[in-house]
């Protein structure tokens, strides 16, 4: 099984990640189950995806403070990279906007380091692409930079299989939990390996395809897989792909899902806010309230397809 992040042609793949900046205060919440341990009883854990730099990076402190106050459990924060094979057009456009603004891994990690000590609930899982961001830097150095910046977890996109063990070793030495990934349709050995290696959480992809796309959901298979993985995984299991609304979350909860990942729908809301010169942080806050079922659903943006979630 390869350590790539869900290449569309490889339903048996898993995932992980890392990256860095000036040392931040030690993270007291790091460790198994920290990402969703503080969720309120009876409420599924919630992880959201965004590209760093979209909305603009100078808004990241305000965005993180809002998510923390809203008790969002995790932000899957991507260092932007172009031409993702796992993402649909919404996330690709978002990454391109961030790249056009000159966002780099150093800038992202510096921004995280500046804000992380003030966060009390929110955890940050950093996603970085091997080829675009990490290649050329020794894995131990890259991982240590991510840990020193205050990142709570690593998700490395497109890591060559030959470097898989080195990545796990580097993460273990840095004390930085990893995110592993598998599909609901992955084979038993792939799922078992992802469950055993999960440190931050296991990202279970509900259906095969690119992020932001629709596909029939085999609810029986998903429920069986979720139950098995939640019984055996070394960290929480979070289900993503096709999760866009409070209704989607409620349905997954009925299937036994304890935590969810929402990607493209939120990215589309940011895109719509920017296109119409509205406050993207305020718009994203409204989106969070909708997911929690505490606000009426807003207008559906026109570009509702495509995240690393």
């Amino acid at each position: 099984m390869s350590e790539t992040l869900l290449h569309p042609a490889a339903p048996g793949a898993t995932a992980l990640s890392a990256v860095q900046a000036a040392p931040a205060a030690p993270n007291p919440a790091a460790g198994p189950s920290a990402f969703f341990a503080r969720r309120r009883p009876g409420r599924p854990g919630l992880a959201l995806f965004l590209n760093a730099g979209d909305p603009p990076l100078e808004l990241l402190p305000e965005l993180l403070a809002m998510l923390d106050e809203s008790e969002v459990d995790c932000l899957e924060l991507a260092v932007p990279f172009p031409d993702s094979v796992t993402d649909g057009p919404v996330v690709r456009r978002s990454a391109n906007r961030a790249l056009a603004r000159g966002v780099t891994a150093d800038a992202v990690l510096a921004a995280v380091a500046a804000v992380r000590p003030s966060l009390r609930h929110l955890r940050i899982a950093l996603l970085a692409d091997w080829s675009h961001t990490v290649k050329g830097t020794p894995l131990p150095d890259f991982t240590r930079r991510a840990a020193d910046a205050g990142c709570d977890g690593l998700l490395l996109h497109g890591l060559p299989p030959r470097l898989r063990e080195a990545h796990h070793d580097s993460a273990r030495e840095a004390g930085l939990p990893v995110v592993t990934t598998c599909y609901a349709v992955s084979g038993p050995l792939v799922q078992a390996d992802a469950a055993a290696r999960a440190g931050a959480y296991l990202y279970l992809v509900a259906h095969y395809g690119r992020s932001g796309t629709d596909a029939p959901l085999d609810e029986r298979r998903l429920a069986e897989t979720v139950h098995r993985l939640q019984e055996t995984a070394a960290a929480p299991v979070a289900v993503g792909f096709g999760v866009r609304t409070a209704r989607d979350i409620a349905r997954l909860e009925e299937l036994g899902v304890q935590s969810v990942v929402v990607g493209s729908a939120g990215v589309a809301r940011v895109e719509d806010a920017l296109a119409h010169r509205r406050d993207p942080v305020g718009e994203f806050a409204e989106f969070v309230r909708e997911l929690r079922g505490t606000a009426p659903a807003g207008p559906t943006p026109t570009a509702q397809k495509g995240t690393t979630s």
Side-chain angles (χ1 to χ4, degrees):
M1 148 174 131
S2 92
E3 207 59 53
T4 58
L5 175 65
L6 304 174
H7 189 290
T14 61
L16 307 169
S17 148
V19 315
Q20 114 97 62
N27 176 13
S33 81
F35 278 72
F36 304 104
R38 296 184 179 183
R39 67 186 179 92
R40 292 187 183 180
R43 187 169 74 179
L46 178 61
L48 302 175
F49 168 90
L50 284 175
N51 277 298
D54 188 57
L57 201 57
E58 56 266 28
L59 295 179
L60 187 62
E62 181 184 353
L63 175 70
L64 294 180
M66 178 276 292
L67 295 176
D68 192 52
E69 185 176 349
S70 301
E71 295 188 348
V72 170
D73 301 291
C74 172
L75 175 64
E76 189 179 295
L77 185 66
V79 179
F81 62 97
D83 306 321
S84 171
V85 296
T86 58
D87 290 315
V90 162
V91 173
R92 286 190 176 200
R93 288 196 299 269
S94 171
N96 289 339
R97 286 191 297 271
L99 291 169
R101 296 183 181 116
V103 174
T104 64
D106 285 351
V108 173
L109 290 169
V112 170
V115 179
R116 185 65 190 81
S118 68
L119 303 179
R120 295 294 174 264
H121 186 96
L122 181 71
R123 305 291 172 255
I124 298 174
L126 188 75
L127 187 156
D129 179 67
W130 165 257
S131 296
H132 185 264
T133 305
V134 185
K135 190 176 181 180
T137 301
L139 270 172
D141 294 351
F142 187 73
T143 306
R144 173 51 62 187
R145 291 170 63 202
D148 288 345
C151 295
D152 301 279
L154 298 171
L155 201 165
L156 194 59
H157 182 281
L159 181 70
R162 61 184 173 79
L163 296 177
R164 181 183 179 198
E165 292 304 325
H167 171 62
H168 283 286
D169 289 344
S170 297
R172 191 160 39 246
E173 290 170 5
L176 192 56
V178 297
V179 179
T180 59
T181 304
C182 64
Y183 286 89
V185 296
S186 295
L189 293 180
V190 171
Q191 292 184 356
D193 187 78
R197 290 178 177 269
Y201 56 94
L202 191 165
Y203 184 176
L204 178 64
V205 180
H207 64 78
Y208 177 63
R210 284 192 170 94
S211 63
T213 59
D214 292 310
L217 184 63
D218 186 336
E219 292 190 348
R220 179 179 177 181
R221 184 172 202 166
L222 179 62
E224 292 173 349
T225 301
V226 166
H227 176 74
R228 181 173 62 254
L229 291 176
Q230 287 178 166
E231 288 292 316
T232 60
V237 177
V239 175
F241 269 51
V243 186
R244 297 190 179 94
T245 67
R247 181 177 298 179
D248 294 333
I249 294 173
R251 181 55 186 147
L252 288 175
E253 190 177 11
E254 291 174 359
L255 298 177
V257 173
Q258 296 176 356
S259 300
V260 299
V261 184
V262 181
S264 299
V267 176
R269 291 290 285 268
V270 170
E271 180 176 63
D272 193 63
L274 293 172
H276 293 90
R277 299 181 179 277
R278 297 194 301 272
D279 172 23
V281 176
E283 186 78 10
F284 206 66
E286 181 68 13
F287 178 65
V288 172
R289 288 191 288 271
E290 291 170 15
L291 291 177
R292 293 297 198 197
T294 57
T300 301
T302 54
Q304 184 89 3
K305 295 284 178 186
T307 193
T308 301
S309 138

